[in-house]
Structures are given as C-alpha cells and as structure tokens.
Amino acid sequence: MQLIDGNKIAADIISELKAEVAEFSGRKPCLALVRVGEDPASVSYVRKKEKTAEEIGIDGKIILPPITISQQELESLIESLNADPSVDGILVQSPLPSPLDEKSAFKKISPDKDVDGFHPINIGKIAQEDESGFISCTPAGIMELLKRSNVNLKGKHVVVLGRSLIVGKPVALLALQKKAGANATVTICHSGTENLSTISKQADVLIAAIGKSEFVTRDMVKPGCVVIDVGINRVADPSKKTGFRLTGDVHFPSVSEIVSHITPVPGGVGPMTVAMLMKNTVKAYKMRTEKK
Ligand code: GUN
C-alpha cells in the first residue's frame, strides 16, 4: 500500500512556485483574501493561505469586513477588488455567515481573478476542456496528487462519491477530459444513489467527497483500488486538546489494508488545496502581466 503524501507533494509545488515567483521582475503577485465573521475553521484556513502566500513571495492581502456587512456592500467590495490593478486573485472564504448569499458573491468576482474557480464561467470552461480558466483548488489538487503519484486514469473506472459544485462535479469532469492522465470512465454517486456499494466496489479509483465521517468501509472497496479521501470531518473527541479530531470520509484503518494507494486525513488532499490556490494566483498574475 502506498500512502499518498499530500504534505510532501504540496511542499514540492510550493517550492516550485517560490522559484518561479523569484524570477518575476516588478511587482509581486497579489491575492486578496476576504473573510467575513469568525468561523473557527475559516479563520484557520485563511491564516494558512496567507502564510503560504508569504512563503512563496505572493502578497496576501487579508480583508476583514464587519460581520454586519450587507450583500450590496460585499459585492461593491468585490467590484473594487476587480478594478484594482494591483490585485491578481480574489478569494471570498466560504461559508459566508447568513444572510449573505455566497453564490451571488462568487458570481461578482471577475472570472480572470477567480482563483477559487467558483465562477460559472470557470466551471463551464472545465466542461469545454478550455484550459484558459481556473479549476477550483480541491479538484485540481486531486488531479495533481494522482499525476505526481503516477496514477494514470486512462481507461479506468473512476467513481466519485458526492456531487458538490466545488468537488464532486468538477473532479468528475476533469477525470472525463480527453487528455493525458485523464480519459476515464466516470460514475458519480450521491445521496439518491441506490446500491451505492455495488458501484463503489467497481471503482479502480474511488474519490470520496460526501462529508460523512468514515462512510466508506472496507466492504465497499475493491482490493487494489486507489482511494482519494476528500473529507475533513470534525468529530468530538474529549481526549484531544482541541476537543475534536479530524476524520475523512473513508474508514482509513480497514480500507488502507486492501488498497494500492490512499490519501490520509489530515495530510492528503487538504494541503493540496492551498498549493493549487497559490498555483492559480501565479497563473492569474502571469495572465494579467503578459496581457499588457
Ligand atoms: N472553504 C472551504 N474550502 C474553501 C475553498 O477552497 N475556497 C473558499 N473560498 N472557501 C473555502
């Protein structure tokens, strides 16, 4: 069994980006990070994104509007960042506190600064196999993990558990693309799927992105399968200092015994998400500076 080390692969990407950014003349790439409210997970994610940006030489600009900000004010803020020539990438941390409407906010981000890849134009470009867009960071991270672990999807049956707009649907479209490393046969399972384990057992590559702690058990997986666990679930655990432990969507102890490759949680897909955000920011910078 090969453990896919997301920390190591993400660190490789970060050092490649650092070397690339060091060669840029003139201003540094700039990523605006907008966080509304104090959701503990969001506070920690945004801090991690800022730290990683700094490590690479990207200017991370944190913007913390008051929690009372209206939808209109938030969208005006996004528009001012769209118009700001010193900003290359814009990220609005999800989830936004209610009653803010994040789907509407994401649509306001200019597609050429949408480093999260949540804008409908960027999602549509994946379906069109148009590489000029931004691929959202988690699906891009999964594809990069597979590529750098020498897992070729060509002709394989990829089963995706979950149909979210951020992970399930885009990763299914990426695996389906007619290009090197992809070209898979893809099935998406979701909460309405009947006989899910009959389908998951047919997977050569199983991507679990359903947000249910340790949902995938050994009896649902074919021996020799490649398992990518996208889940990050906080499960109460009084024995931990934080009061919780992180689990994936896969029951790691039993499933890891029969697979060929598997990602751990934490330390699998999670670190890749941040690395791919940085990669998208550098891409946005290059697109904007090369256009001039
Ligand atoms: N919240 C959890 N993951 C993400 C992400 O990739 N982007 C944003 N903006 N918010 C998130």
Side-chain angles (χ1 to χ4, degrees):
M1 185 272 288
Q2 190 186 322
L3 195 68
I4 300 181
D5 185 348
N7 283 321
K8 158 85 173 64
I9 297 174
D12 289 346
I13 294 169
I14 287 164
S15 67
E16 288 161 20
L17 289 171
K18 192 172 172 180
E20 188 177 357
V21 169
E23 297 293 314
F24 294 160
S25 55
R27 71 173 181 87
K28 290 200 279 188
C30 172
L31 170 63
L33 298 154
V34 180
R35 169 167 66 77
V36 186
E38 297 298 324
D39 171 66
S42 292
V43 171
S44 133
Y45 289 146
V46 170
R47 193 181 297 134
K48 173 85 185 145
K49 290 168 187 175
E50 184 197 23
K51 261 187 68 187
T52 309
E54 193 188 325
E55 191 186 333
I56 293 171
I58 294 171
D59 182 14
K61 182 173 168 172
I62 295 203
I63 301 161
L64 303 171
I67 193 150
T68 50
I69 193 170
S70 69
Q71 184 75 26
Q72 200 180 8
E73 286 163 339
L74 176 63
E75 293 183 6
S76 305
L77 167 66
I78 293 170
E79 270 159 10
S80 70
L81 294 169
N82 286 341
D84 184 340
S86 71
V87 171
D88 301 296
I90 303 168
L91 175 142
V92 176
Q93 185 66 25
S94 168
L96 283 174
S98 70
L100 294 171
D101 173 356
E102 60 182 32
K103 229 172 165 180
S104 165
F106 293 150
K107 261 196 235 171
K108 285 281 180 250
I109 298 173
S110 171
D112 62 351
K113 294 191 178 187
D114 172 39
V115 286
D116 247 336
F118 293 167
H119 191 284
I121 286 189
N122 284 317
I123 294 170
K125 281 186 177 180
I126 302 178
Q128 291 186 325
E129 306 198 18
D130 174 343
E131 296 192 349
S132 72
F134 295 102
I135 298 168
S136 48
C137 306
T138 304
I142 294 168
M143 296 305 283
E144 198 68 28
L145 275 182
L146 291 168
K147 186 170 142 194
R148 293 185 188 229
S149 305
N150 299 313
V151 176
N152 191 339
L153 300 184
K154 185 178 173 208
K156 300 292 182 203
H157 187 189
V158 173
V159 175
V160 179
L161 306 182
R163 58 179 152 189
S164 72
L165 202 57
I166 297 183
V167 185
K169 284 189 192 116
V171 83
L173 284 170
L174 289 168
L176 193 62
Q177 287 186 342
K178 198 171 180 178
K179 67 176 217 189
N183 219 357
T185 302
V186 180
T187 304
I188 306 183
C189 297
H190 47 79
S191 54
T193 298
E194 290 180 4
N195 303 320
L196 186 142
S197 66
T198 310
I199 301 168
S200 66
K201 257 185 159 149
Q202 294 168 21
D204 300 309
V205 178
L206 184 65
I207 301 175
I210 34 176
K212 284 190 186 160
S213 177
E214 300 180 327
F215 176 85
V216 177
T217 48
R218 183 183 173 127
D219 56 311
M220 294 165 69
V221 177
K222 179 169 76 176
C225 179
V226 174
V227 175
I228 304 293
D229 188 350
V230 190
I232 303 181
N233 308 292
R234 289 184 174 207
V235 174
D237 185 343
S239 75
K240 299 271 177 203
K241 228 176 17 195
T242 50
F244 65 85
R245 67 189 161 93
L246 290 182
T247 63
D249 288 350
V250 176
H251 184 255
F252 186 90
S254 65
V255 174
S256 62
E257 286 180 347
I258 60 164
V259 297
S260 74
H261 297 68
I262 189 166
T263 60
V265 176
V269 176
M272 290 300 290
T273 298
V274 180
M276 299 316 280
L277 173 68
M278 301 302 143
K279 207 168 169 149
N280 276 348
T281 304
V282 170
K283 178 176 177 177
Y285 170 89
K286 288 197 287 192
M287 275 165 33
R288 300 186 65 248
T289 48
E290 281 161 16
K291 234 194 260 173
K292 278 181 203 155

